[in-house]
Amino acid sequence: MIEPIKKIFTSFSTELAKEIEVNATIHSYKTGDIIIRTGQYIKNTVLVISGKIKVYREDENGGEFFMYYLQPGQACAISMICATKNEKSQIMAKVVEDVELIMVPLPLMDKWMMQHRSWYEFVIDTYRSRFEEVLEVIDSIAFRAMDERLEFYLKRHADVCGCKELKLSHQEIASELNTSREVISRLLKKMEQRGIVALHRNNIELLK
Amino acid sequence: MIEPIKKIFTSFSTELAKEIEVNATIHSYKTGDIIIRTGQYIKNTVLVISGKIKVYREDENGGEFFMYYLQPGQACAISMICATKNEKSQIMAKVVEDVELIMVPLPLMDKWMMQHRSWYEFVIDTYRSRFEEVLEVIDSIAFRAMDERLEFYLKRHADVCGCKELKLSHQEIASELNTSREVISRLLKKMEQRGIVALHRNNIELLK
DNA sequence: CAAAAACAGTGACAATTGTTACATTGCTAT
DNA sequence: ATAGCAATGTAACAATTGTCACTGTTTTTG
């Protein structure tokens, strides 16, 4: 178990990996499962071993705004932040590809900060990269119109899945950008005319 | 000097306050000064003793999107995050009321995390509260139209200045919400008709 | 296989936001 | 006092986005 952990979380020291093995638990979730909902209390810090998770911000009317992916080797910054203060979750996290997670109980998250340099650096680096990602999201909505936001969205998804074929319905995209399906269909058609994408059923092919 | 620090940063231990006194420097800036620009390297973690700072996200075309205020007793989360990794600033910070700042050199920021519990908690709490504030900003742009965003914007400013009289020009608001002056004038007029504000020159009075 | 459900395309129109152009008001400096 | 400037008001129009209504197609399900 220690070796697999060190393989995915390459920066962890052996001592830290041991601590994780002894104290943390492994949980599995299936595609479509909701790991945490807005308003729930967070009891653990979450590290991703395998699979993919999408993190959303929700509004009162059921809107789901996509913020970022969590992938193997990454941790949920919000779970770290909230964990320390035993706060409610400000986000919703949905499994999009079966995942295995390491759940680190609250008090350890804190304790290890003082004891394990590699944990401390991992946590700080998680904060930094998530903060930067969130700032980029702000850019995309604050400074750009829907057509550019859509391109940004598609590129991020292509980066994460590592392929050019996005298995997304127009409705799904519309929800995650908080607009309507018709708007997405319209903009995708224009992108197709510009030769940026090819449209198939449940499948958007990025050409550039 | 130790006493003033402890008065503003109430959670700091005496030892920490001493360390700050010995190692950190105090800087003053005038209203209108830009403390840090996007792309500059951050060399210090910034703590605010007095005055007010506005933090912005910039785009390539000179747009300035307002994110949050920094006030006495607070620290710039981005300066902490970037400091650790010696990264470039992702934000721009402008003085809106003459400030005195404590500048903590990079290496100390890191070192104190291990040595001073009260510093560790302050840093984590800064991350948490800024992250939450940024998430609220995302809400406002992702889920709300310009009229609601304007109300949200005005309320935040009123909270910070602690008064109902906002000394802001329509142009200033428009820039910070990344829209045009005409749109803001139009929406403010509607708000005035609804009895939410009273409009004066360079002065918006919140009635509710 | 037939019916239902999910997905996509599209036209028409409404609402919001962005842009242009110009008028008006009140403050400031000489 | 008045010229000049910043701030504001506003009308008219363009562009984008949101909504409604309806179509056809593909997939799923009983």
Side-chain angles (χ1 to χ4, degrees):
Chain A
M1 189 57 217
I2 292 174
E3 283 317 308
I5 289 176
K6 288 195 64 176
K7 202 158 190 175
I8 296 161
F9 298 91
T10 49
S11 68
F12 287 5
S13 68
T14 308
E15 301 76 53
L16 175 58
K18 270 183 203 157
E19 287 250 37
I20 291 176
E21 197 196 357
V22 175
N23 295 291
T25 55
I26 309 280
H27 291 250
S28 295
Y29 290 92
K30 293 275 169 204
T31 301
D33 287 358
I34 309 264
I35 296 176
I36 184 93
R37 290 172 200 274
T38 305
Q40 281 186 341
Y41 283 98
I42 295 185
K43 305 163 296 295
N44 295 284
T45 290
V46 175
L47 308 188
V48 182
I49 298 174
S50 65
K52 287 189 186 103
I53 296 169
K54 274 177 144 178
V55 174
Y56 301 84
R57 183 80 176 161
E58 293 182 298
D59 81 343
E60 324 78 48
N61 316 313
E64 300 180 355
F65 182 79
F66 170 68
M67 294 205 302
Y68 52 74
Y69 272 105
L70 288 182
Q71 296 183 262
Q74 299 185 333
C76 179
I78 317 249
S79 73
M80 290 173 166
I81 288 172
C82 296
T84 319
K85 285 282 171 179
N86 200 15
E87 296 257 342
K88 286 179 186 171
S89 172
Q90 305 294 322
I91 50 116
M92 186 267 284
K94 195 188 284 182
V95 177
V96 292
E97 197 177 287
D98 294 4
V99 289
E100 281 187 301
L101 304 176
I102 299 173
M103 304 286 228
V104 179
L106 295 190
L108 291 177
M109 144 86 199
D110 239 26
K111 197 168 154 236
W112 293 346
M113 289 292 275
M114 303 291 174
Q115 293 173 348
H116 299 280
R117 185 75 196 173
S118 64
W119 176 252
Y120 168 74
E121 284 180 354
F122 177 75
V123 170
I124 295 288
D125 203 54
T126 297
Y127 285 155
R128 191 184 51 74
S129 60
R130 284 312 147 196
F131 215 105
E132 283 178 12
E133 191 146 7
V134 167
L135 290 182
E136 274 193 52
V137 168
I138 288 191
D139 284 356
S140 77
I141 28 183
F143 296 124
R144 314 229 263 257
M146 196 53 84
D147 53 350
E148 283 189 274
R149 286 177 57 192
L150 177 56
E151 286 192 44
F152 176 70
Y153 174 93
L154 294 177
K155 275 183 193 130
R156 289 173 84 196
H157 277 71
D159 286 347
V160 166
C161 89
C163 67
K164 298 268 176 183
E165 311 260 313
L166 305 176
K167 304 260 174 295
L168 296 165
S169 75
H170 298 185
Q171 182 56 66
E172 205 174 335
I173 300 171
S175 304
E176 302 200 341
L177 291 174
N178 200 53
T179 179
S180 70
R181 180 192 62 81
E182 293 89 331
V183 171
I184 297 300
S185 293
R186 195 151 60 195
L187 293 174
L188 281 173
K189 264 289 160 234
K190 279 186 196 162
M191 287 175 71
E192 190 176 40
Q193 282 157 18
R194 287 197 289 143
I196 299 172
V197 296
L199 301 178
H200 317 288
R201 189 185 177 82
N202 249 317
N203 178 349
I204 297 167
E205 189 183 343
L206 274 176
L207 302 178
K208 290 186 181 174
Chain B
M1 189 56 217
I2 292 175
E3 282 319 308
I5 289 175
K6 288 194 66 174
K7 203 157 190 175
I8 296 161
F9 299 91
T10 49
S11 67
F12 287 4
S13 67
T14 308
E15 300 77 52
L16 175 58
K18 270 183 203 156
E19 286 251 37
I20 291 175
E21 197 196 358
V22 175
N23 296 289
T25 54
I26 308 280
H27 291 249
S28 295
Y29 291 92
K30 293 274 169 205
T31 301
D33 287 356
I34 309 263
I35 296 176
I36 183 93
R37 289 171 200 275
T38 306
Q40 280 186 341
Y41 283 96
I42 295 185
K43 305 165 296 295
N44 295 284
T45 290
V46 176
L47 309 189
V48 182
I49 298 174
S50 65
K52 286 189 187 104
I53 297 170
K54 274 178 143 177
V55 175
Y56 300 84
R57 183 79 176 162
E58 294 182 298
D59 81 342
E60 323 79 49
N61 314 315
E64 300 179 356
F65 182 80
F66 170 68
M67 294 205 301
Y68 51 76
Y69 272 105
L70 287 182
Q71 299 190 80
Q74 299 185 333
C76 179
I78 316 249
S79 73
M80 290 173 165
I81 288 172
C82 296
T84 320
K85 285 283 169 177
N86 200 15
E87 295 258 343
K88 286 179 186 172
S89 171
Q90 306 294 320
I91 50 115
M92 185 267 285
K94 195 188 283 182
V95 177
V96 293
E97 197 177 288
D98 295 4
V99 289
E100 281 187 301
L101 305 177
I102 299 173
M103 304 286 229
V104 178
L106 295 191
L108 292 176
M109 144 86 199
D110 238 27
K111 196 169 155 235
W112 292 347
M113 288 292 276
M114 302 292 174
Q115 293 172 348
H116 299 281
R117 185 75 197 174
S118 64
W119 177 252
Y120 168 75
E121 284 179 354
F122 177 74
V123 170
I124 295 288
D125 202 54
T126 297
Y127 285 155
R128 191 184 52 73
S129 60
R130 282 313 146 196
F131 214 106
E132 282 177 12
E133 192 146 7
V134 166
L135 289 183
E136 273 194 52
V137 169
I138 287 191
D139 283 356
S140 77
I141 30 182
F143 296 124
R144 313 228 263 257
M146 196 54 83
D147 54 349
E148 283 189 274
R149 288 177 55 191
L150 177 56
E151 286 193 46
F152 176 71
Y153 174 93
L154 295 177
K155 274 183 194 131
R156 289 174 83 197
H157 278 71
D159 286 347
V160 166
C161 89
C163 67
K164 298 267 175 184
E165 311 259 314
L166 305 177
K167 304 259 175 295
L168 296 165
S169 75
H170 297 185
Q171 182 57 65
E172 207 174 334
I173 299 171
S175 305
E176 302 200 339
L177 291 174
N178 199 55
T179 178
S180 70
R181 180 193 59 83
E182 292 86 337
V183 171
I184 297 300
S185 293
R186 195 152 59 196
L187 293 174
L188 281 173
K189 264 288 161 239
K190 279 186 197 163
M191 287 176 72
E192 190 176 41
Q193 282 157 19
R194 288 197 289 143
I196 299 172
V197 296
L199 301 178
H200 317 288
R201 191 185 178 81
N202 252 318
N203 178 348
I204 297 168
E205 190 182 343
L206 275 176
L207 301 177
K208 291 187 180 173

